[in-house]
Amino acid sequence: MPSKAFKSTDFGLIYDYLDTEVTEFFEETKVKFAELSEELLWEYIHSGEPMDKAGGYGIQALGGMLVEYVHGDFLNVVGFPLNHFCKKLGELYYPPSKHTIHHIKYDSIPSVETFEILSDGDCESSDSTKMEDAKRLTNGGLVELGKCKEINCSYKIPMEIQNGIPRNVTQCLSKLTHLLDGFKGSKVLFVACKLKIFDLLKDRGTMTTEDAANQLNTSLRGTERLLDACASLGLLEKNHQGYSNAELTDLCLVSDSEYSLHDYILHCNDHLWPLFTHLELAVKEGTSQIHHTPEKKVNDLFQDFHCQSVEVKQRFVRAMDSSSKVTARDISTAFDLSQFKVVCDLGGCTGALAYNLVQIYPEMQVIVLDLPEVITDVTSCQLSRQNACDISFVSGDIFKDNIPKADLYILSRVLHHCSEEKISLLLNKLSALSKQGIALLIAEIILDENRIKPARAVFQSLSMTEGKERSTLEYKQLLEEHGFSNVQIKITGNLLDVILCSKKLSS
């Protein structure tokens, strides 16, 4: 004999945007089974399909052969009444004004013959309106759900939420709050690195506030709040035993980790933070405020390095090495560089990029050219590494001194600091080195054509150096003006983008 089954699904939604609201609802669907023989039922059982089904059959698969018809929401039988659920979400995020709600009462659940939402003809009201581009909030942002028709209603979606604040204002407030608190998060990171909290937790594992405060020689109250702030940023993990490093912290923030940004973060705290403190003056004057930062002697970045104490120079070198380690792989692999046997990295600092290149291209020899003060500090360290015999360090000023001959020259994070005159001087100088021509690899943050993304490049431009950030088209024009061709640009999506070009010279 045919039989009927009922599928009822109960739900509860908790809406916690500005106020907390709980709504409950259920969906009921009637399913009529066909006349079924015992043999057919046993065959279905032996198929194994019903063994993991809550109702003992899967209507969306073989079990669909057993069903004569469905009265109600088919997807409810499958397991989730998507249509009803989406309507409830719409009511939560776009609640109607109380005086506009039109209540409709059904004596029975309306039939749904297809997977589509009920048509306008199935509604009691002939004034049902279409709801275009219904949206829901996810993680504080808006996500499109697609175009759909709203049924059983005769009201327009209101633009206000329960407390009377327009929803677009609420979204703006959330974004602005994130911006307003951004500098606080940066300073939390800076201070934690300066106190070497992450190094301490790496060595000791999980620690209590009291233990950390004793080791750091800091106040208990201040230590607890700083540790909690780090945990809120995802830099630490907190449990009943205390605090421990998050995975990203062990990878990138512990000072002796392979890809540590520890020294670069200290550089940001000691030099970039004070620079941006005087951003208002920089905007008004259109000039760098580098003279306001501690220990700065002159406005020119390269000249200033010569004027610094040994300690300041060493900190700067460590900062550049720190960031070079995490960008070297992207620069080395953006293009196939196997054709180049001799490479010269201009301003290559500690040789972090050079070391990466000889690992990837074993036949390559790399010359690192940088200021004498830099070379003195890094040579012994780099030569102890594997394949270091393929790396040589040469002291010199890339603008004033002779540049070694090579097949490929690399300028990583150099051009954006330089004036147009210095760039022309450098590019012309490189062109004169070989009668056969040269290849040039440039690593910089490249702006989009609107010059507003990525934000890191725009922020970097606010330091108001004598150089500037450039877009893809601007770099292409710059290089072509100096006789370079075959300009290829790779947007890596990471910290630095890469440009490869060449210049063929007539004999």
Side-chain angles (χ1 to χ4, degrees):
M1 293 291 291
S3 62
K4 292 183 179 180
F6 295 87
K7 175 62 184 295
S8 177
T9 306
D10 297 295
F11 283 91
L13 289 176
I14 299 178
Y15 176 66
D16 189 12
Y17 189 59
L18 291 179
D19 296 310
T20 298
E21 181 180 340
V22 179
T23 183
E24 297 178 355
F25 61 95
F26 73 95
E27 183 73 26
E28 183 179 84
T29 304
K30 297 179 181 179
V31 181
K32 181 182 179 183
F33 289 91
E35 294 275 1
L36 304 171
S37 65
E38 186 174 345
E39 291 77 13
L40 179 60
L41 290 174
W42 276 113
E43 286 185 13
Y44 182 61
I45 292 171
H46 291 316
S47 73
E49 183 181 88
M51 300 308 177
D52 62 346
K53 303 295 186 295
Y57 69 101
I59 194 171
Q60 72 274 26
L62 293 177
M65 297 185 298
L66 313 178
V67 176
E68 186 171 315
Y69 68 79
V70 175
H71 192 75
D73 188 347
F74 178 87
L75 291 179
N76 187 40
V77 184
V78 176
F80 189 80
L82 184 61
N83 180 265
H84 197 169
F85 179 76
C86 289
K87 280 190 275 185
K88 285 297 180 183
L89 283 181
E91 291 175 11
L92 284 174
Y93 289 115
Y94 298 95
S97 301
K98 293 182 178 180
H99 66 277
T100 61
I101 297 178
H102 184 190
H103 294 282
I104 298 175
K105 183 178 180 180
Y106 286 102
D107 293 330
S108 60
I109 299 174
S111 173
V112 178
E113 302 298 339
T114 70
F115 292 101
E116 298 179 348
I117 300 172
L118 289 173
S119 66
D120 291 343
D122 295 320
C123 298
E124 180 176 309
S125 170
S126 61
D127 296 327
S128 296
T129 58
K130 294 182 179 180
M131 182 174 69
E132 299 292 339
D133 296 323
K135 298 177 179 179
R136 63 178 170 86
L137 288 170
T138 302
N139 294 331
L142 288 173
V143 179
E144 298 287 338
L145 286 177
K147 296 182 178 180
C148 64
K149 294 180 180 180
E150 181 59 69
I151 66 167
N152 300 344
C153 63
S154 58
Y155 59 87
K156 294 182 179 179
I157 299 173
M159 290 301 294
E160 295 187 350
I161 55 180
Q162 289 180 347
N163 66 350
I165 300 177
R167 184 163 299 280
N168 57 345
V169 173
T170 303
Q171 296 303 308
C172 291
L173 290 175
S174 177
K175 184 174 183 179
L176 288 174
T177 301
H178 180 74
L179 292 174
L180 289 170
D181 288 339
F183 80 95
K184 301 174 186 176
S186 297
K187 197 61 178 178
V188 166
L189 173 62
F190 296 164
V191 173
C193 283
K194 198 152 192 173
L195 293 175
K196 291 197 171 184
I197 287 176
F198 306 129
D199 285 24
L200 177 64
L201 291 174
K202 175 70 173 179
D203 295 336
R204 302 296 183 89
T206 302
M207 292 186 70
T208 64
T209 303
E210 292 80 0
D211 290 340
N214 289 333
Q215 291 293 324
L216 298 170
N217 195 26
T218 52
S219 70
L220 183 63
R221 184 183 188 214
T223 302
E224 181 178 32
R225 294 188 180 188
L226 182 60
L227 293 175
D228 282 341
C230 289
S232 73
L233 293 173
L235 306 177
L236 297 180
E237 295 177 357
K238 180 182 180 181
N239 56 36
H240 67 281
Q241 294 179 326
Y243 302 86
S244 59
N245 284 345
E247 181 180 5
L248 72 88
T249 301
D250 281 337
L251 288 173
C252 300
L253 298 180
V254 174
S255 62
D256 61 354
S257 65
E258 183 178 1
Y259 298 105
S260 175
L261 284 172
H262 175 84
D263 290 313
Y264 183 71
I265 290 170
L266 295 183
H267 171 73
C268 291
N269 179 65
D270 296 339
H271 298 282
L272 299 185
W273 181 273
L275 193 66
F276 273 75
T277 301
H278 297 89
L279 180 59
E280 183 180 352
L281 274 177
V283 172
K284 287 181 177 180
E285 299 174 1
T287 59
S288 172
Q289 301 299 307
I290 196 170
H291 54 280
H292 287 295
T293 60
E295 302 164 337
K296 290 299 178 184
K297 309 297 183 183
V298 295
N299 287 345
D300 183 273
L301 177 69
F302 301 101
Q303 293 179 9
D304 179 75
F305 188 84
H306 290 287
C307 304
Q308 296 298 336
S309 66
V310 174
E311 181 184 358
V312 173
K313 289 176 182 177
Q314 289 177 342
R315 288 207 305 264
F316 179 78
V317 168
R318 288 197 302 268
M320 294 304 99
D321 181 66
S322 177
S323 59
S324 294
K325 287 178 181 177
V326 299
T327 58
R329 191 78 182 180
D330 283 335
I331 299 173
S332 301
T333 59
F335 300 99
D336 181 5
L337 305 178
S338 58
Q339 60 180 306
F340 305 110
K341 302 306 178 185
V342 180
V343 176
C344 184
D345 186 4
L346 302 173
C349 197
T350 62
L353 175 57
Y355 173 66
N356 204 273
L357 284 168
V358 297
Q359 278 192 313
I360 298 172
Y361 307 103
E363 303 300 319
M364 183 180 288
Q365 291 185 340
V366 183
I367 304 167
V368 177
L369 176 65
D370 215 318
L371 299 172
E373 299 91 332
V374 176
I375 299 301
T376 301
D377 291 333
V378 303
T379 304
S380 58
C381 171
Q382 294 298 329
L383 289 178
S384 64
R385 289 179 168 179
Q386 183 181 3
N387 298 332
C389 58
D390 297 320
I391 302 173
S392 58
F393 290 83
V394 177
S395 299
D397 186 316
I398 62 175
F399 298 104
K400 299 177 181 179
D401 299 326
N402 293 330
I403 295 177
K405 289 186 178 181
D407 304 322
L408 173 70
Y409 292 93
I410 298 176
L411 290 169
S412 178
R413 297 177 299 172
V414 172
L415 295 186
H416 76 274
H417 284 298
C418 300
S419 64
E420 299 297 318
E421 292 76 18
K422 284 187 176 179
I423 291 176
S424 293
L425 171 66
L426 185 57
L427 294 181
N428 291 333
K429 190 175 182 179
L430 293 176
S431 299
L433 290 175
S434 173
K435 293 182 178 181
Q436 288 73 37
I438 62 167
L440 179 62
L441 190 76
I442 298 170
E444 294 283 358
I445 311 173
I446 298 179
L447 286 167
D448 67 359
E449 296 311 318
N450 288 331
R451 300 184 59 81
I452 59 173
K453 291 182 180 179
R456 288 181 61 251
V458 183
F459 295 157
Q460 187 168 266
S461 69
L462 289 171
S463 61
M464 301 292 182
T465 62
E466 59 182 4
K468 68 176 185 178
E469 312 304 320
R470 289 177 167 84
S471 67
T472 298
L473 180 60
E474 288 173 321
Y475 269 114
K476 190 172 186 295
Q477 290 174 341
L478 172 69
L479 293 167
E480 289 177 347
E481 286 172 2
H482 287 83
F484 288 88
S485 59
N486 192 27
V487 179
Q488 305 173 65
I489 299 177
K490 178 69 174 292
I491 305 299
T492 66
N494 293 323
L495 296 180
L496 292 176
D497 304 309
V498 187
I499 303 170
L500 179 64
C501 59
S502 59
K503 185 173 184 178
K504 301 296 182 183
L505 302 179
S506 56
S507 56

